[in-house]
Amino acid sequence: MLTVRAPATSANLGSGFDVFGVALETPADVVRVERARETTISVTGAGSEFIPEDPEGNTVGAVAKALDAPARIEIDKGVRPASGLGSSASSAAAAAVALNELYDRGHSRKELVPIAAEGEALVSGEAHSDNVAPSLLGGFTIVTDDGVTQVDTSVPLVACLPETAVSTRDARGVVPDEAALDDVVSTVGNAATLAVGMTRNDPELVGRGMDDDIVTPQRTALIDGYDDVREAALEAGATGVTVSGAGPGILAVCDRSSRRAVAGAMIDAFDDNDIESRAYQTQVGSGATLYRD
Ligand code: HSE
């Protein structure tokens, strides 16, 4: 049996819609696989009751099919579905690494990105790779049509998850078809600033580059309490705040010394809106890790 731990991720980072992503040190999914004639899937852990075990409807089933690698697959969810932390991508990335090894397929981590993304199409309707790339490769990733660029970094983060859910399909439904040139110009500037901040491990620059005027404003309307939580995080020392992936999770960047205060402020602000939440005090971390039993 092979075991793979694949991290949660936060995609977009505001200015990099469908392009930027980071691996989070915590939480993570754990997937165990062994060879079988037909693929079977069992799911336990956070939100497992909402995840189909039928391989035809499960992201991991899509990965097994793409790799022609039938297996008995156990998924232990640490990443809650519909949270904005790339839950389906964590499972898909873990399964891709495990099944690639189990059947000796010989794909590199970068070659596994489009394979793991097959599963994303089942969840969101589109095979976007900005969650599976960091879950497979770790660090900060930039996904374009030409491939993936990866940077190792350890920028401190707080990911705050309210006990509400937003489906990725719904969140993609509010993304505008067009954007004004002014908004594109400011978003490109912010994205470039953020990318430089990641390479310099500089939370100040990363935070400054997180804003975008195109996608995020449409999505914050789907997250009760967003404005209050953002303001509270900034007052507590966050250098930038945005929607994590498709939401409803909210991601803050800050100095290591401010993480606890930022996490507390975000939880309190959700609480003031009668919404329970939990916060992960984390940082950009490594990608999927393989263990042999
Ligand atoms: N880039 C995707 C989106 C990530 O924002 O819809 C979903 O987690």
Side-chain angles (χ1 to χ4, degrees):
M1 199 164 218
L2 290 175
T3 303
V4 175
R5 176 192 186 276
T9 53
S10 184
N12 303 328
L13 308 174
S15 56
F17 177 68
D18 274 0
V19 174
F20 289 165
V22 285
L24 306 185
E25 205 174 55
T26 52
D29 280 2
V30 175
V31 168
R32 294 184 185 84
V33 298
E34 66 182 5
R35 287 193 186 220
R37 286 184 169 207
E38 285 185 3
T39 295
T40 57
I41 298 173
S42 61
V43 190
T44 54
S48 53
E49 64 274 26
F50 302 113
I51 299 173
E53 294 189 329
D54 174 6
E56 292 298 319
N58 187 298
T59 54
V60 163
V63 174
K65 201 169 179 179
L67 283 169
D68 189 20
R72 189 164 79 79
I73 303 173
E74 297 171 8
I75 306 170
D76 186 7
K77 298 292 302 171
V79 187
R80 206 195 76 204
S83 62
L85 291 189
S87 174
S88 56
S90 298
S91 297
V97 171
L99 295 171
N100 183 51
E101 186 72 16
L102 189 68
Y103 279 87
D104 221 359
R105 294 288 185 246
H107 294 295
S108 69
R109 289 289 175 107
K110 281 194 176 172
E111 286 168 351
L112 289 176
V113 169
I115 293 168
E118 294 282 320
E120 291 292 68
L122 272 181
V123 177
S124 71
E126 288 173 67
H128 59 88
S129 305
D130 51 344
N131 289 109
V132 290
S135 194
L136 284 163
L137 301 168
F140 167 61
T141 55
I142 301 170
V143 179
T144 66
D145 289 346
D146 292 333
V148 184
T149 304
Q150 190 270 358
V151 175
D152 283 324
T153 181
S154 56
V155 169
L157 302 167
V158 175
C160 189
L161 302 192
E163 291 296 323
T164 51
V166 171
S167 92
T168 304
R169 272 180 202 272
D170 291 348
R172 291 188 83 81
V174 301
V175 174
D177 292 331
E178 294 178 350
L181 184 60
D182 279 357
D183 291 339
V184 174
V185 169
S186 66
T187 301
V188 169
N190 288 342
T193 304
L194 186 150
V196 171
M198 287 292 185
T199 62
R200 292 187 187 166
N201 222 1
D202 180 343
E204 188 67 42
L205 269 189
V206 171
R208 207 194 304 162
M210 265 186 160
D211 286 340
D212 95 292
D213 295 324
I214 301 169
V215 176
T216 308
Q218 308 303 321
R219 285 182 160 182
T220 57
L222 303 176
I223 304 172
D224 290 337
Y226 178 85
D227 289 340
D228 293 340
V229 173
R230 176 184 158 85
E231 201 178 305
L234 292 171
E235 271 176 21
T239 55
V241 180
T242 193
V243 177
S244 181
I250 300 178
L251 186 75
V253 180
C254 57
D255 284 330
R256 210 156 291 273
S257 59
S258 310
R259 258 189 317 204
R260 182 185 290 262
V262 169
M266 293 172 89
I267 290 172
D268 286 350
F270 267 128
D271 195 48
D272 289 345
N273 284 272
D274 295 323
I275 299 167
E276 280 191 34
S277 64
R278 67 171 299 180
Y280 295 95
Q281 295 175 48
T282 185
Q283 64 176 50
V284 183
S286 49
T289 311
L290 176 75
Y291 304 92
R292 288 170 196 286
D293 292 350

